[in-house]
């Protein structure tokens, strides 16, 4: 039986580029074959439970603006109503996946035993809905940053009891993710970092975080969870400095603790911007190490300097993102999770639908442009030409040589490199032909 929350809103259809409807797909056609595969299977869209159903619209200057029938979120009956509405939205949008934190789906009880039993109860309920609808879980995760117990960090907290609470919480969330057939488990270290070095032993905290993640990996193997374990980089906010600063920092961390073959990265557009990178930079860093796991798709405002988590709407940016994803072999077991929220004035149910539909369309359009660039091969050809010199026997031999021998060759052959154009504008013009 319908909750009535989305009354008057029909299941969205693909209507093509000429559609003028606010509630239709113009570019996302799940069945369209691109590069030999259905678009739905390439993009693997997921809806984030937290922004759409748990967030109440507050900001640092004002409280709730999104008044929903499942608020306040402190009771199991309302948690079930929230799940009913969520599944109605998944159906309207025809999205194949969703993602959650424990705190999004169950009421907060303030103690571990009750948090665990309500998590188990609500994930049984959600599991039945997944069975009935074919909806799939892209990933589960633990919210270890909202409740005040986490204010000094979770696995990096100076208090060993908080470390213990975190370990028990992650175990419960991994069990629930496994039960629901989740394809990944994510750890974003919201408060795994510091506010001031005056009270922080960074080396000890990093060792604890490394040990914690090793326990997560051990537990994954113990329960036979086949999904990927992913860490999600972000440089700051809420912490002043977060240890998982960006992709490169995470990769160094994973190597230090011997986890480079066990853990991959969940990369988010807005977090890349906060770290002073483009999203494609983060994708390329992860891909170069074979560690691209999944993406959180959103957009940060370029003027405001914090994590605005807006829906993506910049096709050229998204096209370059997917270009690097396709070059890396695609999203694999990962997906495109909309870690994005409506603005706090967007208070109507239709805003929830239109925002996701628009985001899916922008991704589809960017993805198709990326696929066209890959198929055309122009960027790859330019890259091959630029590095062609390294295909000569002398150049290849040089990498196994030494400074003195190279110096002799430079003197004897009179090597004097001729500058060559980087052709940046020509390549930018090339990309503009596709987007
Ligand atoms: C916060 C953020 C999180 C993670 C999951 O910026 O991105 O929602 O994706 O904890
Ligand atoms: Co995220």
């Amino acid at each position: 039986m319908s909750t009535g929350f989305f009354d008057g809103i029909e299941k969205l259809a693909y209507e093509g580029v000429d559609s003028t409807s606010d509630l239709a797909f113009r570019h996302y056609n799940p069945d369209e074959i691109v590069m030999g595969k259905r678009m739905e299977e390439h993009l693997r869209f997921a809806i984030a439970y937290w922004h759409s159903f748990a967030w109440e619209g507050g900001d640092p200057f004002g409280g709730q603006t999104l008044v929903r029938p499942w608020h306040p979120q402190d009771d199991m009956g309302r948690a079930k109503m929230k799940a009913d509405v969520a599944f109605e939205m998944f159906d309207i949008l025809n999205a194949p996946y969703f993602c959650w934190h424990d705190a999004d789906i169950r009421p907060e009880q303030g103690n571990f035993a009750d948090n665990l039993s309500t998590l188990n109860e609500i994930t049984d309920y959600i599991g039945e809905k997944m069975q009935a609808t074919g909806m799939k879980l892209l990933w589960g995760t633990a919210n270890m940053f909202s409740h005040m117990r986490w204010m000094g960090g979770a696995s990096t907290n100076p208090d060993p009891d908080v470390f213990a609470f975190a370990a028990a919480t992650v175990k419960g969330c991994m069990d629930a993710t496994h039960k629901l057939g989740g394809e990944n488990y994510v750890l974003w270290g919201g408060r795994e970092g510091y506010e001031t070095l005056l009270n922080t032993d960074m080396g000890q905290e990093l060792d604890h975080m490394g040990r914690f993640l090793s326990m997560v990996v051990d537990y994954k193997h113990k329960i036979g969870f086949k999904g990927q374990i992913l860490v999600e980089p972000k440089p700051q906010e809420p912490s002043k400095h977060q240890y998982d600063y960006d992709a490169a920092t995470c990769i160094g961390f994973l190597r230090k603790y011997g986890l480079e073959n066990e853990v991959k990265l969940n990369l988010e557009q807005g977090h890349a911007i906060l770290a002073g990178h483009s999203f494609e930079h983060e994708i390329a860093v992860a891909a170069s190490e074979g560690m691209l796991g999944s993406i959180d798709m959103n957009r940060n405002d370029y003027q405001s300097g914090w994590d605005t988590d807006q829906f993506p709407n910049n096709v050229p940016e998204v096209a370059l993102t997917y270009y690097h994803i396709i070059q890396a072999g695609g999203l694999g077991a990962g997906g495109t999770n909309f870690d994005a929220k409506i603005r706090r004035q967007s208070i109507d149910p239709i805003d929830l639908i239109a925002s996701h539909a628009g985001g899916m369309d922008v991704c589809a359009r960017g993805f198709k442009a990326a696929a066209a660039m890959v198929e055309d091969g122009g960027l790859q050809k330019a890259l091959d030409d630029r590095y062609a010199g390294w295909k000569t026997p002398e150049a290849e031999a040089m990498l196994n040589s030494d400074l003195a021998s190279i110096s002799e060759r430079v003197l004897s052959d009179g090597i004097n490199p001729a500058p060559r154009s980087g052709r940046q504008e020509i390549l930018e013009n090339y990309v503009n032909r596709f987007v």
Side-chain angles (χ1 to χ4, degrees):
M1 206 185 66
S2 158
T3 63
F5 184 74
F6 291 113
D7 264 1
I9 301 178
E10 302 293 317
K11 191 173 171 119
L12 266 51
Y14 169 70
E15 294 183 2
V17 284
D18 295 329
S19 169
T20 55
S21 166
D22 281 339
L23 295 180
F25 295 116
R26 272 176 274 278
H27 302 278
Y28 179 57
N29 176 5
D31 294 320
E32 185 176 328
I33 304 290
V34 181
M35 302 187 85
K37 205 159 82 173
R38 292 175 61 249
M39 259 169 100
E40 182 179 273
E41 294 162 52
H42 280 289
L43 291 165
R44 297 165 60 85
F45 285 132
I47 292 174
Y49 218 95
W50 49 102
H51 287 313
S52 293
F53 310 111
W55 183 57
E56 298 181 350
D59 73 6
F61 299 91
Q64 181 167 17
T65 61
L66 306 175
V67 182
R68 310 297 197 206
W70 56 90
H71 295 155
Q73 303 176 66
D74 57 0
D75 144 291
M76 187 52 89
R78 286 189 291 269
K80 288 183 178 166
M81 186 205 296
K82 180 163 54 171
D84 294 344
V85 171
F87 275 77
E88 285 169 15
M89 185 164 110
F90 304 156
D91 179 56
I92 290 172
L93 289 166
N94 195 17
Y97 288 96
F98 69 116
C99 302
W100 49 252
H101 300 82
D102 51 353
D104 309 327
I105 53 176
R106 55 129 177 87
E108 173 65 50
Q109 307 288 305
N111 71 81
F112 181 71
D114 291 340
N115 278 353
L116 183 64
S117 68
T118 50
L119 179 69
N120 289 339
E121 185 180 341
I122 196 71
T123 46
D124 282 345
Y125 186 73
I126 285 175
E128 284 164 24
K129 298 178 99 52
M130 291 170 68
Q131 285 268 303
T133 58
M135 195 69 195
K136 292 172 284 186
L137 178 63
L138 186 65
W139 46 266
T141 188
N143 177 330
M144 300 197 294
F145 42 89
S146 294
H147 192 278
M148 69 182 287
R149 79 175 67 86
W150 311 119
M151 67 184 180
S155 71
T156 63
N157 201 292
D159 180 350
D161 282 354
V162 180
F163 184 102
F165 205 112
T169 299
V170 168
K171 177 194 176 289
C173 288
M174 288 178 76
D175 287 338
T177 301
H178 188 37
K179 175 176 77 182
L180 297 180
E183 299 185 23
N184 303 270
Y185 184 84
V186 166
L187 297 107
W188 168 60
R191 296 188 194 273
E192 308 290 34
Y194 64 81
E195 291 304 315
T196 171
L197 283 175
L198 294 173
N199 66 12
T200 303
D201 184 335
M202 191 164 18
Q204 181 169 358
E205 291 198 0
L206 283 165
D207 283 349
H208 290 180
M209 195 162 101
R211 191 66 202 103
F212 190 92
L213 195 53
S214 303
M215 290 184 201
V216 168
V217 166
D218 289 347
Y219 191 65
K220 160 191 160 147
H221 293 304
K222 184 173 171 200
I223 61 176
F225 176 61
K226 296 282 175 270
Q228 307 183 110
I229 302 291
L230 307 176
V231 294
E232 182 174 327
K234 185 176 183 181
Q236 72 273 322
E237 202 203 358
S239 300
K240 167 192 154 58
H241 175 90
Q242 284 172 211
Y243 296 136
D244 288 340
Y245 195 95
D246 61 0
T249 312
C250 285
I251 290 167
F253 173 86
L254 294 173
R255 289 199 186 288
K256 177 173 180 196
Y257 295 99
L259 295 166
E260 67 272 21
N261 298 322
E262 295 282 0
V263 180
K264 291 184 175 177
L265 304 181
N266 182 43
L267 299 170
E268 177 165 327
Q269 153 86 1
H271 298 179
I273 293 170
L274 286 179
H277 302 309
S278 65
F279 199 18
E280 64 266 25
H281 168 91
E282 290 292 84
I283 305 277
V285 168
S288 71
E289 300 278 342
M291 289 192 197
L292 174 62
S294 194
I295 61 169
D296 274 5
M297 185 51 98
N298 57 20
R299 162 174 67 102
N300 267 12
D301 186 289
Y302 285 105
Q303 283 80 47
S304 56
W306 67 87
D307 193 15
T308 58
D309 279 335
Q310 289 165 254
F311 279 86
N313 75 348
N314 186 324
V315 174
E317 276 182 3
V318 167
L320 289 179
T321 300
Y322 282 114
Y323 180 80
H324 286 276
I325 289 173
I326 296 172
Q327 295 294 63
L331 284 168
T336 302
N337 171 44
F338 289 106
D339 196 347
K341 60 177 182 256
I342 48 178
R343 301 302 88 191
R344 70 194 291 271
Q345 296 177 62
S346 305
I347 58 177
D348 293 338
I350 193 176
D351 297 318
L352 275 174
I353 304 297
S355 55
H356 283 89
M360 290 160 86
D361 255 354
V362 165
C363 288
R365 201 172 171 184
F367 176 76
K368 281 194 265 191
M373 287 192 283
V374 171
E375 281 175 337
D376 182 74
L379 290 178
Q380 187 60 51
K381 183 173 181 310
L383 211 58
D384 291 345
D385 288 349
R386 191 153 192 247
Y387 290 86
W390 284 98
K391 293 268 191 295
T392 62
E394 303 80 32
E396 278 178 3
M398 181 164 61
L399 292 180
N400 295 316
S401 170
D402 58 80
L403 291 188
S405 327
I406 296 173
S407 173
E408 263 172 43
R409 191 168 66 89
V410 171
L411 286 171
S412 63
D413 294 4
I415 290 179
N416 192 9
R420 284 176 57 192
S421 168
R423 298 247 190 275
Q424 180 167 338
E425 294 79 7
I426 289 179
L427 295 172
E428 287 166 350
N429 296 349
Y430 172 87
V431 170
N432 274 336
R433 279 170 40 204
F434 293 84
V435 296

